[in-house]
């Protein structure tokens, strides 16, 4: 039987249209955008057009887009860049306790270098309370970094309200929008953020490329040093083919936004409904309303997530237990831990992240497989 991929929160296949857009940039148009001859000029045309596309997709000006190697680098640049440049104003940063490791580990690094970080806890559905963020603000707070949507449980945070409280106090706000782009409408001016991270490979673009939106007038320091690429904020010859592919993926995401969201939401709700209805002792992790259209995260009592994952894999079905970034370690997910779940509840959780190409038939096949696998595992479990 045809394999089923339902791990789009980890990565996506590159859209054939994106591959077509990239291809000439490996061969005929191979120039370095910094060169003054016509090869360089041609590369610059592709680079500028891509910057224009990515900027307009999020309501930004092209000068506010810095291309990077992906979400991780964008998060590092945003957080360290703001911290280093603004440390004379204060050394306090606010974040949540369910951020992606690219944010959490960058904050932990800064804590070892003289900065203080407050990790505001989420509630049992993974939502941040804006009042708690407000209470965490101090006179020396320079940055609030809160993800737009969570990669494990899909919770969408009240980032607009956080921006409002920060603006009054002159605090910069960064959001990691890697999971929300293409699934939640994003306009940087409507949201009010100063910095926003996006990545190409979560939206059917190539890996190793992304962008950081930096609002005009934001005081930020470069974190890598070299040539004057990307306005001196991010040195290194631009990955033109990757950037062109990323821009094409952004264009597709924009063009297909309504259809994609409707399709994903309907598959998501079908799966959640069928699983909760047909499998006893199954519970949804995260919030039902403030949730990404493609995220299904469910915990099953009396079974191990890894066992379910491997048996599903034997049937050609790819899902995950937590995020790809933490699932190779046996530590329970910090996100599920933040929801206040007991260890055995965390271990029985599965994350299914849907994509454009998934069908209703696939959704039903996965639910059938889950019913069978969980039945077998529970029959062997002394706890069940
Ligand atoms: C995947 C992901 C990242 C990392 O992006 P890369 O491009 O893989 O470096 C960061 N944040 C979130 C929320 C993600 O899902």
């Amino acid at each position: 039987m045809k394999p089923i991929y339902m791990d789009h929160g980890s990565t996506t296949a590159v859209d054939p249209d994106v591959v077509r857009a990239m291809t000439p940039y490996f061969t005929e148009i191979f120039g370095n955008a910094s060169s003054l001859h016509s090869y360089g000029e041609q590369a610059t045309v592709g680079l500028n057009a891509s910057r224009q596309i990515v900027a307009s997709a999020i309501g930004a000006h092209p000068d506010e887009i810095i291309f990077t190697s992906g979400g991780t680098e964008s998060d590092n640049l945003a957080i360290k860049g703001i911290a280093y440049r603004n440390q004379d104003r204060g050394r306090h940063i606010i974040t949540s306790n369910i951020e992606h490791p690219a944010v959490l580990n960058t904050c932990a690094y800064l804590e070892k270098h003289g900065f203080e970080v407050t990790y505001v806890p989420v509630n049992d559905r993974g939502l941040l309370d804006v009042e708690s963020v407000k209470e965490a603000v101090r006179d020396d707070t320079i940055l609030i970094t809160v993800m737009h949507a969570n990669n494990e449980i899909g919770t969408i945070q009240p980032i607009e309200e956080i921006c409002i409280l920060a603006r009054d106090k002159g605090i910069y706000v960064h959001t990691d929008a890697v999971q929300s782009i293409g699934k939640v409408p994003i306009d940087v001016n409507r949201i009010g953020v100063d910095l926003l991270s996006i990545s190409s490979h979560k939206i059917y673009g190539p890996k190793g490329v992304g962008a950081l939106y930096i609002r005009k007038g934001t005081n930020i320091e470069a974190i890598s040093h070299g040539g004057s690429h990307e306005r001196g904020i991010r040195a290194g010859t631009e990955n033109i083919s990757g950037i062109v592919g990323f821009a094409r993926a952004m264009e597709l995401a924009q063009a297909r936004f309504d259809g994609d969201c409707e399709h994903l939401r309907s598959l998501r709700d079908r799966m959640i409904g069928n699983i909760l209805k047909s499998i006893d002792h199954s519970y949804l992790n995260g919030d039902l309303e403030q949730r990404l259209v493609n995220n299904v995260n469910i915990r099953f009592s009396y079974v191990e997530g890894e066992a379910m994952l491997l048996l599903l894999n034997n049937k050609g079905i790819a899902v995950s237990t937590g995020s790809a970034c933490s699932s190779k370690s046996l530590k329970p997910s910090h996100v599920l831990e933040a929801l206040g779940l007991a260890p055995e509840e965390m271990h029985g959780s599965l994350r299914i992240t849907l994509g454009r190409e998934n069908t209703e038939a696939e959704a039903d096949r996965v639910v059938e497989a889950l019913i069978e696998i969980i039945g077998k595992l529970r029959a062997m479990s002394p706890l069940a």
Side-chain angles (χ1 to χ4, degrees), residues 9-11 69-75 99-103 147-152 176-180 197-202 207-210 323 325 351:
S10 297
T11 195
S69 64
T72 301
E73 188 191 334
S74 295
D75 287 344
E99 296 298 307
H100 188 274
V103 168
M147 70 201 317
H148 195 198
N150 184 268
N151 46 301
E152 293 188 34
D176 177 328
V178 171
Q179 290 289 338
S180 54
S197 302
I198 46 183
S199 177
S200 156
H201 76 98
K202 305 278 172 81
K207 292 170 182 61
V209 58
S323 68
C325 314
R351 178 187 78 164

Side-chain angles (χ1 to χ4, degrees), residues 11-29:
T11 195
T12 56
V14 180
D15 190 286
D17 219 40
V18 170
V19 176
R20 266 194 298 281
M22 292 173 73
T23 305
Y25 287 86
F26 291 105
T27 49
E28 303 103 79
I29 318 176

Side-chain angles (χ1 to χ4, degrees), residues 255-303:
R256 304 186 50 151
F257 188 85
D258 291 341
D260 276 356
C261 287
E262 200 184 304
H263 173 64
L264 293 168
R265 188 180 294 111
S266 121
L267 284 185
R268 176 196 71 182
D269 293 346
R270 184 184 181 96
M271 287 192 84
I272 292 177
N274 286 342
I275 292 171
L276 297 184
K277 187 177 67 190
S278 47
I279 302 178
D280 288 343
H281 306 291
S282 58
Y283 312 90
L284 185 70
N285 290 322
D287 192 78
L288 191 56
E289 302 295 323
Q290 296 303 319
R291 185 181 201 96
L292 285 177
V293 288
N294 75 329
N295 181 287
V296 177
N297 191 313
I298 297 198
R299 62 181 190 277
F300 303 94
S301 306
Y302 320 120
V303 280

